[in-house]
Amino acid sequence: MAEQQSVRLDIPAHPEAVGEARDAVRELMDKWGPDDVIDDLILCLSEALTNALTHAVHGATLAVRVSRTETFLRIEVTDCDRRPPVLAIPVEVVLVGKQLPERLLEEHGRGLFLIDAMSTRWGIEPRCPGKVFWFERDIARSL
């Protein structure tokens, strides 16, 4: 079984928190590597945190956990909103002549589209209260 390293950050629910969390996680991931996945995971973190902040209760605290094993990097965002994020397909990728449900073409929800494209896997785990939204990226075994 692979040894797991993990760091948790408590993030206040205010707009500046996204940049602060992004900087802290980037500093950690610069130590953990590998370099070829860091930018993608930082973008995914920004999208997940922005979504959590959009629905956060005033004064709430969000949690970010970053974990690493020999085979993957995982980022979790915990918030107090039980509603899952909604996947929307950007209009730019809709094929001409295809009819898609209107809810898939909304302006919101594109973050999950990016996370789906840039991560190996993602999911949602209910918590009381709220949920944990997580995403992972496989990495080489040579770390």
Side-chain angles (χ1 to χ4, degrees), residues 13-15 18 46-58 62 79 81 83 108-109 131:
H14 61 77
V18 174
S46 294
E47 295 296 336
L49 270 177
T50 299
N51 185 64
L53 283 169
T54 300
H55 302 289
V57 175
H58 178 70
L62 309 173
D79 64 37
D81 186 358
R83 294 174 293 175
H108 299 286
K131 67 182 173 303

Side-chain angles (χ1 to χ4, degrees), residues 67-74 121 136-139:
S67 305
R68 175 185 164 250
T69 70
E70 292 177 1
T71 58
F72 67 86
L73 289 164
R74 177 181 176 124
R121 65 198 143 269
E136 295 176 348
R137 180 78 174 258
D138 289 343
I139 56 177

Side-chain angles (χ1 to χ4, degrees), residues 41-97:
L41 290 175
I42 294 298
L43 177 59
C44 292
L45 171 64
S46 294
E47 295 296 336
L49 270 177
T50 299
N51 185 64
L53 283 169
T54 300
H55 302 289
V57 175
H58 178 70
T61 299
L62 309 173
V64 173
R65 179 175 302 279
V66 183
S67 305
R68 175 185 164 250
T69 70
E70 292 177 1
T71 58
F72 67 86
L73 289 164
R74 177 181 176 124
I75 298 178
E76 301 175 355
V77 176
T78 302
D79 64 37
C80 293
D81 186 358
R82 295 190 67 87
R83 294 174 293 175
V86 175
L87 178 63
I89 300 170
V91 174
E92 299 83 36
V93 299
V94 176
L95 299 174
V96 175

